[in-house]
Amino acid sequence: LGMMIIVAILAESGVFQWVGIKASKVSKGNLWRLMLMLCTFTAVVSMFIDNVTTVLLMVPVTIAVFRTFKVSPMPFILAQALASNVGGTATLIGDPPNIMIGSAANIDFNMFITHMGPTVAVSFVASLLLMKFLFRKDLKAQVQNLEHLMREDETLYLKDRKLLKKSMVVLIGVIALFVVHGSLQ
């Protein structure tokens, strides 16, 4: 619940919209590269935040970007949902079942990520390759309005920089405390 509150406050700053526009600009219309960036961001965020929350924050951003590109967002939404599930399994706090498993087995954050991390990394790469294969036609679609998106100033989406900084400090602090928790017991 605490992580969801932190993320809800973080979302108010506009950082997720900023990430979507920034990734779209960096990809320069290459849909495979954009899928890689969005999925990687989603998986990493899901390691520390509940999967459902991550997807709920990323899907509107994805839909907005692909509405601009006039390309179906469905392959990207499915890929992000898969990336969110895979990323969430890497850490003790990524999924509610992980918390229950860790508590029942007396496993701390570091031990959990040490044992799950390599498997999740392989699973993530495999899922990305599967997405590339399954959506190969969709990834070759011609994007439209790229020039419009390239001119857009993504910093305008950062509504409250002060809130962003405070939220990031709190989020990083919480993650750091999860990491050192095992050694404090």
Side-chain angles (χ1 to χ4, degrees):
L1 177 64
M3 290 300 275
M4 286 182 173
I5 292 169
I6 293 168
V7 173
I9 294 169
L10 185 61
E12 290 295 317
S13 72
V15 72
F16 293 98
Q17 291 82 356
W18 178 85
V19 167
I21 300 298
K22 190 71 171 172
S24 300
K25 289 173 88 169
V26 170
S27 74
K28 297 179 182 166
N30 181 318
L31 295 178
W32 168 240
R33 193 177 313 150
L34 182 56
M35 182 181 274
L36 285 174
M37 286 187 277
L38 291 176
C39 286
T40 301
F41 179 78
T42 302
V44 170
V45 170
S46 288
M47 290 172 64
F48 304 104
I49 299 166
D50 181 67
N51 297 348
V52 176
T53 306
T54 305
V55 171
L56 286 173
L57 292 169
M58 288 304 296
V59 166
V61 173
T62 302
I63 289 171
V65 166
F66 287 94
R67 190 173 287 150
T68 301
F69 282 164
K70 298 193 185 315
V71 173
S72 171
M74 201 50 63
F76 298 86
I77 292 170
L78 291 171
Q80 285 177 302
L82 182 61
S84 178
N85 279 312
V86 171
T89 59
T91 65
L92 194 59
I93 58 174
D95 270 330
N98 294 3
I99 296 168
M100 292 186 289
I101 292 167
S103 296
N106 200 25
I107 300 172
D108 69 6
F109 184 87
N110 293 332
M111 185 184 297
F112 198 93
I113 197 168
T114 300
H115 286 73
M116 290 300 294
T119 305
V120 168
V122 170
S123 298
F124 180 65
V125 170
S127 67
L128 286 174
L129 294 175
L130 178 65
M131 291 293 111
K132 183 174 184 176
F133 175 75
L134 290 175
F135 298 118
R136 61 189 174 277
K137 290 178 186 173
D138 297 292
L139 292 171
K140 291 180 183 174
Q142 188 64 37
V143 300
Q144 297 179 21
N145 301 324
L146 181 61
E147 304 81 29
H148 169 72
L149 190 73
M150 294 302 277
R151 286 191 306 267
E152 197 162 344
D153 183 9
E154 65 273 6
T155 59
L156 296 177
Y157 289 91
L158 295 174
K159 301 172 201 161
D160 191 341
R161 291 175 187 262
K162 212 169 165 180
L163 180 64
L164 173 63
K165 289 176 187 174
K166 289 177 183 177
S167 301
M168 289 302 292
V169 166
V170 170
L171 181 62
I172 290 167
V174 168
I175 293 168
L177 289 172
F178 273 119
V179 170
V180 299
H181 175 261
S183 60
L184 296 176
Q185 289 181 334

